Amino acid sequence: MRLFHPLAFVLVILPSLVNASVTVYHQVPFTDSTTTTSAASANYTGAAAYDPTVLTPPPVPAGLTTQFGIQLSSSSATVQNLSIPQKGSFLGFSIEFTVVNQIFGVNATYLQVPFLNLMALLRERAGEVHIRVGGNTQETAVLVDSLPGGVMITKEHGSITDVTATPTLLYTAEVIYTMANISALVNTKWFLGIPFNDTSNLRLGIAEVSEAVLSGPGYLLGFQVGNEPDLYAAHEVRPSTYAPSDYFNDFGILAAAVNNDNNIPVKNNLVAPSITGQWIPESVWDTGLVETYSSSLGALAVEHYPTDNCYATYGIGSPVIPQDVFQNFLTHASGISIIAPYLNSTSYAQATGKPFIMMETNTASCGGLPGISDSFGATLWALDYGLQMAYSNFSGAMLHVGGQDVYYNPFTPPPTNESSYHQWTIGSVFYSAIFIAEAFGPSGNAQIVDLQANTDSMYTPAYAIYENGAPVRLVLVNYISDPSGASAYTTTISIGGSAIGQSNATPAQIQVKYLAAPSVSEKYNITWAGQTFGGTFQSDGRLTGSENVQTINCDQSSNTCQVTVPAPGAALVFLSSNAYAESGNPSTQTFSTTAVTKTANTARVDPSVLATSNGMSGATWELGSTSKGDTGAGLRNSLSVVSVVGAAMLSTGMLCTWFWS
């Protein structure tokens, strides 16, 4: 078995696109199936991840209050309902097992640099990044010694019995080494799932290898015991009578197997029950699961989506029309209602000393909803929902990531056959993750409270964040979409003051970062402090543009600061220079590569030279084969330019980390 240790590996970067305004010197294939258009998408037949559907924003509600005050206590000792301490890594990602080779890289040697860049953005703000690898495919995953062609993962579409048509997944230990090398670079920490489809033939290999490779450096968070077991009966992978008591028994079988396996040294990092809502959590707690297996449990978890698109995907349930439900995501009430069934469980988790995690969530199950899941409305929704979970004493949440056939991805690599000329597409909810990372910062001591601002308006939620007893940051959200600007609001902030029997504590100035877009329907013209990831196929994982952080002078004589929030938009207010320095002013490491995957037809010329060239007479050309190795390959005279700058190219550089055999 290989153990994680120093020895060099190199990284592959996906192409950087240089945009030309007049002449195209490199032809994108005519069969490019994921090209999008700004037109209506009624006839769109490409991948869901690039669906151009744009919805109509809801009308501006009547009777909005656009001027209101926010009074903050200068000490957390007087703040009621303050949350448990939270980490900047609170909002992480749940990555479907089947797509790890697309997102992480080909193997532990060749990693996806855009993914590393994205994780580095979060690491520099939050200190670490939490990722769960799993989903439906974790249940049928089988660890094998090797696979044809040296790949680390493949699907086996054999006998499929469940209604979601989940294939058997074959993978090698290379997946775990790949995760370890990513962790060494960007401090990612991982949840995985032990296959649970057959408790009479448990497959503990993923736990054995992960403990050996990830646990020592501190990269392993735990193992899920079952993914959505309350859906097992509906998916026909358990009897129709399968109930919480049956899950209790199955969990006990796995816990005993782990305790008896000497190759799994850590015995207390199992995660349960990861149910979706078909069972209420209390029905599982009532079995005595937590008390009986407390020594085996590292965390309690659930999974939840507020709605679904399963009818469109699998013909299950009822149709959902995105335009009809768009407004449901554009209100503070959404997050509150999603979390309400779990408030008893978060209290129960605290009483039992276990963290409570939303292990998988997003806008809608079965791939999300076109025009909603990839919109700026979803950005604001995920931000507010994430903060509401933190306020309600969840200890973390994971936004789900699928393949090309889903709408809600925080990030999507291009299809493999288009990776030579397309970059990554960064989804709208990734901006939510950056915002929350900065809002909580890396201290691990951030405590949050829902301020119920503006007379508890559902359109203008606000949160205060305290660290070490003092207010450090403020989050202001505006769900209204109003291009006239009339629905932007201004809040007057006071810290301390005679009104609450405290000394004035409003600072002389504050810093503000804005999350902004022209409309809640916007897909790609989204900015965080003036920077963006761009549109479809445009990102290498780094923010582009100049950062714009507003400095606002306060009136200390009146103990007030005024902040205006656009409609739509959100503001992160840093209440001290230390708070801004801690998480708002990161210096992010980025990555390059020493390896290229295109080794033929790589000659290049400056496009400005080629654009003004008259070429040569075709009469003197002698055309031969273009096949590699053919003696007649290429042009036999002086024509040597076969690909150029202005098309997609690979950059080079050096980066190393280590493992041994």
Side-chain angles (χ1 to χ4, degrees):
M1 182 177 292
R2 292 187 295 181
L3 300 179
F4 186 69
H5 192 273
L7 200 140
F9 75 84
V10 293
L11 308 174
V12 172
I13 188 170
L14 287 186
S16 299
L17 295 180
V18 180
N19 295 320
S21 59
V22 179
T23 306
V24 177
Y25 299 113
H26 181 83
Q27 176 64 53
V28 174
F30 290 117
T31 57
D32 180 4
S33 62
T34 52
T35 300
T36 61
T37 170
S38 59
S41 63
N43 298 318
Y44 178 75
T45 58
Y50 317 108
D51 190 309
T53 298
V54 175
L55 302 179
T56 301
V60 176
L64 289 175
T65 300
T66 58
Q67 302 279 339
F68 58 90
I70 289 179
Q71 174 69 63
L72 299 179
S73 172
S74 60
S75 170
S76 63
T78 61
V79 179
Q80 294 183 342
N81 301 319
L82 204 60
S83 76
I84 62 175
Q86 302 289 5
K87 296 181 178 181
S89 56
F90 182 91
L91 193 59
F93 307 102
S94 162
I95 298 178
E96 192 68 41
F97 205 155
T98 49
V99 300
V100 296
N101 55 338
Q102 301 169 40
I103 291 173
F104 297 165
V106 177
N107 52 39
T109 301
Y110 296 96
L111 303 179
Q112 288 275 27
V113 167
F115 178 72
L116 295 178
N117 286 339
L118 292 169
M119 297 304 102
L121 287 171
L122 297 174
R123 187 272 314 274
E124 292 303 316
R125 291 160 169 81
E128 61 188 34
V129 186
H130 289 184
I131 299 176
R132 171 257 193 152
V133 172
N136 287 335
T137 48
Q138 77 186 42
E139 303 283 46
T140 58
V142 178
L143 177 65
V144 295
D145 292 336
S146 63
L147 288 168
V151 300
M152 67 178 184
I153 191 168
T154 189
K155 300 175 188 177
E156 188 177 66
H157 293 273
S159 175
I160 298 173
T161 58
D162 73 273
V163 295
T164 60
T166 303
T168 296
L169 190 70
L170 304 180
Y171 70 100
T172 72
E174 192 73 10
V175 171
I176 311 303
Y177 291 111
T178 299
M179 293 162 59
N181 287 343
I182 291 170
S183 296
L185 295 169
V186 291
N187 202 27
T188 48
K189 297 184 177 180
W190 309 90
F191 288 102
L192 296 103
I194 296 175
F196 206 53
N197 64 324
D198 183 2
T199 53
S200 64
N201 183 30
L202 290 171
R203 302 185 300 282
L204 301 179
I206 192 168
E208 295 172 347
V209 176
S210 297
E211 289 284 2
V213 176
L214 299 172
S215 187
Y219 301 145
L220 182 61
L221 296 173
F223 298 103
Q224 274 188 289
V225 180
N227 177 69
E228 302 174 345
D230 51 338
L231 294 179
Y232 282 173
H235 292 173
E236 301 175 0
V237 294
R238 289 290 200 282
S240 61
T241 56
Y242 194 76
S245 58
D246 298 304
Y247 178 78
F248 173 90
N249 294 332
D250 285 348
F251 184 95
I253 293 170
L254 189 141
V258 168
N259 286 332
N260 292 328
D261 191 330
N262 293 330
N263 292 321
I264 305 177
V266 178
K267 311 294 186 181
N268 64 348
N269 61 358
L270 301 182
V271 180
S274 301
I275 56 175
T276 68
Q278 296 300 309
W279 300 341
I280 62 172
E282 289 82 357
S283 69
V284 180
W285 314 145
D286 289 346
T287 66
L289 178 83
V290 179
E291 292 79 8
T292 303
Y293 297 110
S294 180
S295 60
S296 297
L297 282 165
L300 309 181
V302 292
E303 302 179 13
H304 189 81
Y305 295 80
T307 186
D308 70 78
N309 196 27
C310 297
Y311 184 86
T313 307
Y314 303 114
I316 301 171
S318 302
V320 175
I321 300 173
Q323 186 65 65
D324 292 349
V325 300
F326 193 17
Q327 61 186 354
N328 298 346
F329 290 86
L330 302 175
T331 168
H332 188 47
S334 177
I336 293 173
S337 64
I338 294 169
I339 292 161
Y342 302 114
L343 295 179
N344 288 339
S345 293
T346 59
S347 297
Y348 175 73
Q350 292 176 70
T352 58
K354 307 297 182 185
F356 192 79
I357 299 167
M358 181 65 76
M359 192 62 73
E360 177 181 326
T361 191
N362 214 306
T363 46
S365 61
C366 298
L369 294 164
I372 293 180
S373 299
D374 54 357
S375 71
F376 185 61
T379 309
L380 298 178
W381 172 83
L383 168 62
D384 186 19
Y385 172 37
L387 295 176
Q388 189 66 204
M389 281 190 281
Y391 166 61
S392 301
N393 295 325
F394 283 73
S395 291
M398 312 289 173
L399 292 172
H400 200 52
V401 185
Q404 303 287 323
D405 57 346
V406 303
Y407 301 98
Y408 53 46
N409 283 343
F411 38 78
T412 307
T416 303
N417 62 347
E418 298 175 16
S419 61
S420 64
Y421 55 90
H422 278 157
Q423 298 194 91
W424 284 41
T425 301
I426 309 306
S428 61
V429 294
F430 188 80
Y431 292 89
S432 314
I434 291 183
F435 193 120
I436 288 178
E438 288 198 27
F440 286 146
S443 72
N445 296 319
Q447 294 178 275
I448 187 170
V449 62
D450 185 339
L451 296 172
Q452 300 178 354
N454 196 10
T455 322
D456 203 16
S457 168
M458 293 295 103
Y459 299 112
T460 58
Y463 299 87
I465 296 168
Y466 286 74
E467 283 184 1
N468 302 317
V472 291
R473 299 176 196 91
L474 188 65
V475 177
L476 308 170
V477 180
N478 191 346
Y479 275 115
I480 305 302
S481 193
D482 184 358
S484 75
S487 300
Y489 71 77
T490 299
T491 183
T492 301
I493 303 162
S494 298
I495 304 176
S498 58
I500 56 173
Q502 297 178 349
S503 300
N504 289 358
T506 301
Q509 63 180 25
I510 56 177
Q511 280 74 41
V512 182
K513 286 187 173 184
Y514 286 102
L515 180 62
S519 162
V520 291
S521 298
E522 178 61 45
K523 290 174 175 287
Y524 299 118
N525 186 15
I526 300 170
T527 57
W528 171 235
Q531 296 183 301
T532 184
F533 292 105
T536 306
F537 305 127
Q538 290 185 351
S539 182
D540 64 1
R542 295 177 292 181
L543 285 163
T544 60
S546 300
E547 186 178 48
N548 182 8
V549 182
Q550 302 288 321
T551 297
I552 297 175
N553 293 320
C554 303
D555 185 347
Q556 289 188 294
S557 63
S558 64
N559 196 42
T560 60
C561 280
Q562 288 193 328
V563 177
T564 298
V565 183
L572 178 57
V573 182
F574 298 90
L575 300 174
S576 70
S577 57
N578 288 338
Y580 176 66
E582 182 185 43
S583 67
N585 190 28
S587 176
T588 302
Q589 177 186 9
T590 58
F591 299 92
S592 57
T593 179
T594 57
V596 295
T597 57
K598 186 175 183 179
T599 58
N601 295 341
T602 57
R604 45 186 282 192
V605 68
D606 190 317
S608 63
V609 174
L610 187 62
T612 56
S613 170
N614 288 326
M616 63 174 67
S617 171
T620 61
W621 294 3
E622 295 180 38
L623 300 181
S625 168
T626 57
S627 300
K628 183 177 180 181
D630 193 301
T631 57
L635 304 183
R636 289 202 175 97
N637 284 329
S638 59
L639 184 63
S640 60
V641 177
V642 293
S643 69
V644 298
V645 177
M649 323 180 354
L650 295 172
S651 64
T652 58
M654 184 67 187
L655 185 65
C656 295
T657 191
W658 311 275
F659 61 70
W660 72 9
S661 295

